[in-house]
Amino acid sequence: MSTFSDVDASARPQELIAYLDHAHHGLQAPKLRLEQGLAVQHGALVLDLGCGTGHELARLEAGGAVAVGIDASTVMLHAGLARLTDKGLPARLAQADAARLPFGAAAFDACRIERVLQHVADPAAVLAEARRVLRPGGTLAVCEPDWSSFTIASADPETAAAVAGQVGAQIAHRAVGRDLRRLLVAAGFTEVRVEVELAVYASLEELSPIISLPHAAERARDTGRISPAQADHWLAEQSALSADGGFHATLNRSVLAWAR
Ligand SMILES: C[S@@+](CC[C@H](N)C(=O)[O-])C[C@H]1O[C@@H](n2cnc3c(N)ncnc32)[C@H](O)[C@@H]1O
């Protein structure tokens, strides 16, 4: 289970809040793209499922929407309340499991879900709830990564594949980005559009805030996929590539989907 699956049980929730605040700046392009596709009208009632620290609630409110946030974590909701209050914006927040929403059917004009499905127990149940609370014709926007899409160049592609296979291994649904279209159709959405934002990393310094190669190599080693010597040799190769400019890694970091 990843830490974002149960933030309140985390030993260091402030680190998770800091991670979200850092990611908020690094993910501006996909976040703006997601909002463009959602095309919220002035005064529309919009639900942010798994709202975290409330960055997007503030953006929606500032843009003229009436934004409602739910999150499973009281720590996150307190952070969201502080952000909205500081900005003088109304705070409409509730603690809830995204798979059991405390709202009636067809209550919202639009709904957004960002980097949440990867952490929940049952992504299909969350999408079914999103569909239930959306009015007919209302739009859902989703953004999730596909950690299983990670690739990295190496003279030893077998070890590279073994390490890449461990990226996001602690996350409940590491490949949910890849499954978005299938899951949305299964939830009953008929108009589904998907875009992918490919991230390219040219050094270990660029990659390490997102993915820790030493942790992934450690997991590949500890699960017997590679030997300790292979792990050390491979990590040394990646450090050398990073130092001399030959490092190359890619990730479908944001899979964006809009559905009605
Ligand atoms: C990676 S954070 C993303 C937060 C926010 N959407 C963003 O993009 O900044 C994942 C959030 O999902 C929440 N979450 C995890 N499981 C949940 C569930 N079953 N129901 C509601 N929220 C959940 C976590 O508490 C956390 O705030």
Side-chain angles (χ1 to χ4, degrees):
M1 178 191 277
S2 63
T3 39
F4 277 113
S5 292
D6 189 354
V7 172
D8 292 356
S10 161
R12 291 184 292 278
Q14 291 310 319
E15 285 181 13
L16 299 178
I17 289 175
Y19 173 85
L20 288 187
D21 289 346
H22 177 76
H24 175 72
H25 299 292
L27 292 174
Q28 278 305 300
K31 281 171 178 285
L32 286 170
R33 184 78 198 101
L34 197 72
E35 298 313 321
Q36 278 170 0
L38 198 57
V40 166
Q41 305 288 314
H42 192 87
L45 190 57
V46 185
L47 177 62
D48 189 10
L49 281 187
C51 60
T53 60
H55 281 287
E56 300 312 313
L57 292 172
R59 192 203 301 267
L60 286 164
E61 282 284 343
V66 178
V68 176
I70 72 101
D71 202 284
S73 159
T74 52
V75 173
M76 287 294 170
L77 289 167
H78 279 126
L81 178 63
R83 178 181 318 286
L84 292 161
T85 309
D86 275 359
K87 291 179 180 289
L89 294 168
R92 304 177 193 85
L93 299 164
Q95 185 180 19
D97 182 344
R100 283 183 294 278
L101 295 174
F103 307 114
F108 292 91
D109 298 305
C111 175
R112 73 185 302 286
I113 305 175
E114 183 189 339
R115 293 176 298 142
V116 176
L117 295 178
Q118 60 183 321
H119 301 297
V120 303
D122 183 354
V126 172
L127 292 176
E129 269 298 78
R131 182 156 169 79
R132 183 184 68 79
V133 302
L134 271 174
R135 68 166 167 75
T139 305
L140 171 66
V142 188
C143 177
E144 297 287 335
D146 176 7
W147 298 108
S148 70
S149 69
F150 182 69
T151 69
I152 185 158
S154 169
D156 177 358
E158 285 78 22
T159 302
V163 174
Q166 296 305 307
V167 167
Q170 77 287 8
I171 289 171
H173 303 283
R174 68 191 283 270
V176 75
R178 176 172 304 196
D179 283 335
L180 277 185
R181 183 186 290 276
R182 179 176 67 77
L183 289 168
L184 287 163
V185 168
F189 291 95
T190 50
E191 290 174 46
V192 180
R193 194 158 51 90
V194 176
E195 290 178 11
V196 176
E197 183 218 44
L198 175 73
V200 179
Y201 303 98
S203 69
L204 277 173
E205 291 66 34
E206 280 179 26
L207 180 69
S208 57
I210 315 300
I211 289 170
S212 164
L213 285 187
H215 285 167
E218 215 170 90
R219 274 194 296 269
R221 183 197 64 199
D222 293 350
T223 53
R225 287 171 172 85
I226 57 174
S227 69
Q230 254 178 302
D232 291 346
H233 187 260
W234 190 80
L235 286 171
E237 181 211 27
Q238 293 305 320
S239 294
L241 286 171
S242 186
D244 72 13
F247 185 94
H248 178 74
T250 67
L251 176 73
N252 287 347
R253 181 167 169 181
S254 298
V255 182
L256 305 160
W258 299 270
R260 285 176 208 243

